Amino acid sequence: MTSVVRSLTVLFLLTTLAACGTSVQRIASDETVDLSGAWNDTDSRLVAEEMVADALARPWISDYSSRTGKRPAVIVGSVRNLSHEHINVKTFVADMERALINSGRVDFVASSTERGEIRDERADQDINAREDTRNAAGQELGADYMLQGQINTLIDQEGKQQVRYYQVDLTLISLADNRKVWVGQKKIKKLVKNSKLRF
Amino acid sequence: MHPRLTSVCLLLCLFCSGCAHWQMNSLAQDLRQEPPQATLLKVEELNMPSRDKVQFLLNRGILRFYTNDLSGCREDLEQAKNLIAELQAISISENLAAATTNETLRKYSGSASEQVMVHVILALSYLAERQLDAARTEVLQADVLMQSLAEGDEWNGQLAAARFIGGLVYQLGDEPDNAMISYRKALELLDHHQQAIPAILQQRLLKLSQQLGLDNEYAQLSQRFQSEEQNADSAELTVLYLDGIVSTKQQNRMSIYSPQANQMISIAVPHFPDHYVSPRQLLVEVDQQFLRSQLIESIDARVREDLAADMPKTIALATTRAVAKYQAVRSAQQNQNQQLAAALLNIFTVASEQADTRSWNMLPANIQVTGGPISADSHFSIPELALAKPSTALQTEISELNANDHLLVIALDIGRQYYPVVFSIP
């Protein structure tokens, strides 16, 4: 009996010690791993993919191009996080920008937060750079549409179970006349069951 | 391992963990007298066991809030929040340890009110840096938490201060309907605690009920508060004052008769000292008139209520544990060959009977509020705090206030400073 208890104790200690070490496993960037149920990179990727596909499939690009003969220029406005979680909206907005620019059908211009640094550099060039290499002020491309949006959530919970519903809404608004030319929406719903027991 | 050596090792472990609790409690007492920066340095040097990680993060987080390290505060409190969520599952090993030794071997996860206060402090840290959407996220999380805490007891973990700050966040974000709901809940909680309604909350309820066309509610509130909405077209001032330090738990030994053991047994339970921390009002000067801050939440009272709610379970567990230990000692004493082991076991059972006195003991004792109309040519100051004269930057911001703007001031007793922020309401 004593030897059985000793053996079990040793086995228990070995198992515990084995669990104490740190292990790192590299995985593909598009592999889905849901750990806590909170908003993660998979959610961001799903939103970006659906929004990009929808935006490119709608007639607002061809309408603008056929009317003006050029690509529409878009500026990113405020995309607000009104959800229950601290979500970095810049991840899927950046994915959208990249995909739309790379499609060759849409131009993006620097947002209000980004262009401050650029204008400072331009002003510096005006003083310090050689005349034939300067980029003059007043030559910026004006945006035709502004991208705005928000993330909202609804939470329903009882005990250790929680249903999380995320809704991401993005809108393209014409800077000429305030018309909404495109509205994109992505819904994600998760059932999260928290563990009742732990060691 | 030799029984004597085992007992000595166990006693040393218990002694060391008790040292860490005692040191943290002692530092919380010192915070009343010394600057928070000094306390923060001492807290960072503490060698806390992993089961007290949450308490360490909460206290370090609030100290960082007191010392203007808002991003550090958020880092600690977010980490604490995640750990608390993980600890909601029942632990088999901790229950076993608590049943055989004492409650301090459970991982600390905070009382109901403390868990809500995590969101309150996070919301304030975001507001202090004008991150309104992030503060709103914390308000939403606090709401979900308070809903879940109320499942067993409708008043469990419900904080009027959390509701008031929620209402303020919604108001700053031009969401008057959500603000009205939050302020109503704050009023309901203050009525439950039979507490006076701060003038600023009265004003907000009147203003919003009128703005939203809730005529019946406006009439009821107007009659109750003996006041009417002034319809002044001016900017608004809100001052949130975090006053004092919450009481620290102490250990209390009690003797209880056990029918199973057929004698009196001694147990150790946590308790708060008898005297409450009395609120000290803050005087705010606006255009040579003084506004006095008024109590919206006594956190000291709330944590005491949390402890009182847990006390029957705590006493029952302690009694069961004490009886089991007593019977183990009796059994060993009856064996002539195990007298030394019985003696050591007896020493261990007495020394190991420690109350769990852990708490978020560097929280403010109470939260007070005041406010009212303020205009671009107003003179504003808080004479008692670090800036006896308002800074030039602050007066410049006030001079640029528009009619729809809101000046929020988060004032701290500990650290004697304040965070002023101007919000422009869309």
Side-chain angles (χ1 to χ4, degrees):
Chain A
M1 180 65 178
T2 311
S3 62
V4 170
V5 170
R6 276 196 196 140
S7 302
L8 284 171
T9 307
V10 168
L11 186 62
F12 170 75
L13 281 171
L14 283 171
T15 311
T16 308
L17 284 169
C20 288
T22 303
S23 72
V24 175
Q25 182 189 352
R26 290 189 181 269
I27 57 178
S29 61
D30 58 354
E31 186 173 325
T32 298
V33 179
D34 292 316
L35 295 174
S36 66
W39 180 274
N40 60 19
D41 62 302
T42 300
D43 300 309
S44 177
R45 180 169 51 81
L46 291 173
V47 169
E49 284 173 359
E50 178 144 337
M51 294 294 190
V52 165
D54 193 68
L56 289 173
R58 302 298 174 183
W60 67 280
I61 298 175
S62 54
D63 284 350
Y64 181 85
S65 297
S66 61
R67 195 169 67 245
T68 62
K70 50 182 182 164
R71 292 193 295 262
V74 176
I75 187 169
V76 177
S78 62
V79 179
R80 294 183 67 191
N81 172 28
L82 300 177
S83 75
H84 289 74
E85 294 173 38
H86 293 287
I87 294 173
N88 186 355
V89 302
K90 290 178 185 171
T91 52
F92 62 81
V93 170
D95 282 346
M96 278 190 70
E97 264 186 274
R98 184 178 57 80
L100 289 172
I101 291 170
N102 291 345
S103 73
R105 299 172 64 194
V106 179
D107 285 331
F108 270 81
V109 296
S111 66
S112 58
T113 48
E114 291 167 334
R115 64 193 178 209
E117 190 180 356
I118 296 165
R119 288 176 179 173
D120 289 343
E121 173 60 24
R122 213 175 276 131
D124 186 80
Q125 283 188 7
D126 204 34
I127 302 168
N128 298 309
R130 221 171 53 225
E131 191 172 347
D132 59 327
T133 61
R134 277 180 212 157
N135 288 291
Q139 301 299 308
E140 292 176 5
L141 177 65
D144 302 302
Y145 300 100
M146 177 174 276
L147 179 68
Q148 293 182 331
Q150 52 184 249
I151 306 179
N152 286 282
T153 47
L154 292 170
I155 304 283
D156 186 19
Q157 73 174 25
E158 198 210 356
K160 298 290 182 192
Q161 287 193 96
Q162 197 181 66
V163 173
R164 300 186 192 183
Y165 172 83
Y166 303 84
Q167 184 167 309
V168 182
D169 294 290
L170 294 176
T171 309
L172 276 171
I173 303 171
S174 167
L175 285 166
D177 54 15
N178 284 355
R179 278 182 306 125
K180 292 185 180 181
V181 298
W182 171 77
V183 176
Q185 190 179 83
K186 173 67 179 171
K187 300 176 186 179
I188 296 172
K189 196 168 181 176
K190 300 180 188 178
L191 171 63
V192 181
K193 294 182 185 178
N194 290 315
S195 171
K196 291 181 184 171
L197 287 177
R198 58 185 169 94
F199 177 73
Chain B
M1 193 186 275
H2 196 279
R4 267 182 282 188
L5 189 55
T6 308
S7 304
V8 168
C9 287
L10 280 168
L11 277 171
L12 276 172
C13 288
L14 283 168
F15 180 71
C16 289
S17 68
C19 266
H21 302 155
W22 176 80
Q23 284 178 301
M24 185 65 91
N25 287 355
S26 176
L27 287 174
Q29 302 291 330
D30 293 346
L31 191 53
R32 297 168 206 273
Q33 277 87 40
E34 66 179 23
Q37 292 87 346
T39 307
L40 177 58
L41 289 172
K42 291 177 189 174
V43 165
E44 284 175 337
E45 286 169 7
L46 287 179
N47 190 14
M48 305 288 286
S50 63
R51 60 181 174 272
D52 299 338
K53 180 84 172 172
V54 168
Q55 186 194 24
F56 172 78
L57 289 169
L58 292 176
N59 276 335
R60 191 173 70 175
I62 194 75
L63 284 169
R64 285 175 162 177
F65 184 74
Y66 294 147
T67 55
N68 205 17
D69 178 9
L70 296 178
S71 61
C73 164
R74 288 194 289 271
E75 196 182 314
D76 280 345
L77 295 188
E78 286 289 346
Q79 203 178 341
K81 203 200 298 181
N82 292 335
L83 283 172
I84 290 170
E86 286 173 19
L87 294 174
Q88 297 313 300
I90 298 169
S91 168
I92 302 163
S93 62
E94 287 174 25
N95 273 314
L96 194 59
T100 55
T101 311
N102 63 47
E103 292 293 323
T104 66
L105 296 182
R106 285 187 207 277
K107 287 185 179 170
Y108 174 74
S109 63
S111 69
S113 301
E114 288 172 352
Q115 289 176 20
V116 177
M117 281 302 297
V118 173
H119 297 288
V120 170
I121 300 299
L122 279 167
L124 292 179
S125 76
Y126 284 119
L127 285 173
E129 292 188 333
R130 210 177 278 120
Q131 294 184 47
L132 186 58
D133 283 353
R136 188 182 185 280
T137 298
E138 291 302 325
V139 165
L140 290 175
Q141 290 186 8
D143 185 54
V144 169
L145 176 60
M146 284 191 279
Q147 279 184 37
S148 72
L149 290 171
E151 279 175 9
D153 169 6
E154 66 174 312
W155 305 112
N156 181 36
Q158 308 303 299
L159 299 185
R163 295 298 185 188
F164 180 85
I165 290 166
L168 175 64
V169 165
Y170 288 128
Q171 208 177 342
L172 295 174
D174 197 26
E175 296 179 68
D177 43 357
N178 285 330
M180 185 68 196
I181 293 168
S182 288
Y183 286 141
R184 262 194 215 127
K185 288 184 178 178
L187 177 67
E188 189 184 329
L189 285 165
L190 290 170
D191 283 341
H192 168 70
H193 293 303
Q194 296 179 319
Q195 219 176 289
I197 313 301
I200 188 70
L201 179 57
Q202 296 179 26
Q203 289 165 21
R204 298 282 157 85
L205 285 163
L206 286 170
K207 176 176 177 169
L208 287 171
S209 57
Q210 192 178 60
Q211 183 182 338
L212 292 168
L214 302 168
D215 299 330
N216 286 341
E217 191 166 352
Y218 175 80
Q220 285 171 5
L221 291 168
S222 184
Q223 188 177 30
R224 175 179 169 176
F225 299 145
Q226 295 295 302
S227 175
E228 286 185 357
E229 165 58 12
Q230 299 301 312
N231 281 328
D233 191 25
S234 67
E236 281 196 65
L237 165 70
T238 301
V239 179
L240 292 165
Y241 177 47
L242 278 58
D243 174 50
I245 293 291
V246 74
S247 300
T248 295
K249 285 182 189 172
Q250 296 169 354
Q251 179 170 279
N252 187 26
R253 288 202 176 265
M254 312 165 53
S255 290
I256 291 182
Y257 176 75
S258 163
Q260 294 95 328
N262 195 27
Q263 67 168 63
M264 300 295 283
I265 52 171
S266 173
I267 61 172
V269 294
H271 85 117
F272 282 108
D274 289 339
H275 63 274
Y276 277 68
V277 178
S278 299
R280 291 187 319 151
Q281 286 180 312
L282 185 71
L283 281 181
V284 176
E285 189 216 332
V286 181
D287 295 331
Q288 296 180 334
Q289 293 199 348
F290 285 97
L291 301 171
R292 286 184 178 275
S293 61
Q294 294 172 292
L295 187 69
I296 186 90
E297 191 77 70
S298 170
I299 299 168
D300 205 62
R302 299 293 87 76
V303 296
R304 286 166 186 261
E305 286 165 8
D306 289 345
L307 181 62
D310 281 342
M311 195 52 73
K313 180 180 154 194
T314 302
I315 292 176
L317 285 171
T319 306
T320 308
R321 183 172 55 240
V323 168
K325 286 177 182 176
Y326 169 78
Q327 287 174 341
V329 171
R330 277 287 300 261
S331 175
Q333 283 171 340
Q334 282 165 0
N335 189 332
Q336 294 295 326
N337 297 327
Q338 289 186 350
Q339 291 306 301
L340 179 59
L344 288 169
L345 188 58
N346 196 18
I347 295 170
F348 173 76
T349 55
V350 171
S352 66
E353 191 55 32
Q354 294 176 14
D356 186 358
T357 57
R358 295 173 296 182
S359 65
W360 190 1
N361 47 17
M362 296 185 189
L363 268 175
N366 59 80
I367 298 178
Q368 301 174 35
V369 294
T370 188
I374 189 169
S375 58
D377 52 7
S378 286
H379 180 269
F380 168 85
S381 75
I382 304 181
E384 290 177 45
L385 296 186
L387 296 173
K389 288 181 188 175
S391 68
T392 310
L394 175 57
Q395 279 303 142
T396 304
E397 284 200 67
I398 291 173
S399 70
E400 292 168 3
L401 284 174
N402 295 313
N404 284 336
D405 288 350
H406 200 117
L407 172 61
L408 169 65
V409 177
I410 301 168
L412 307 176
D413 175 30
I414 301 298
R416 308 303 288 169
Q417 62 163 329
Y418 58 89
Y419 302 110
V421 194
V422 172
F423 289 89
S424 295
I425 315 293

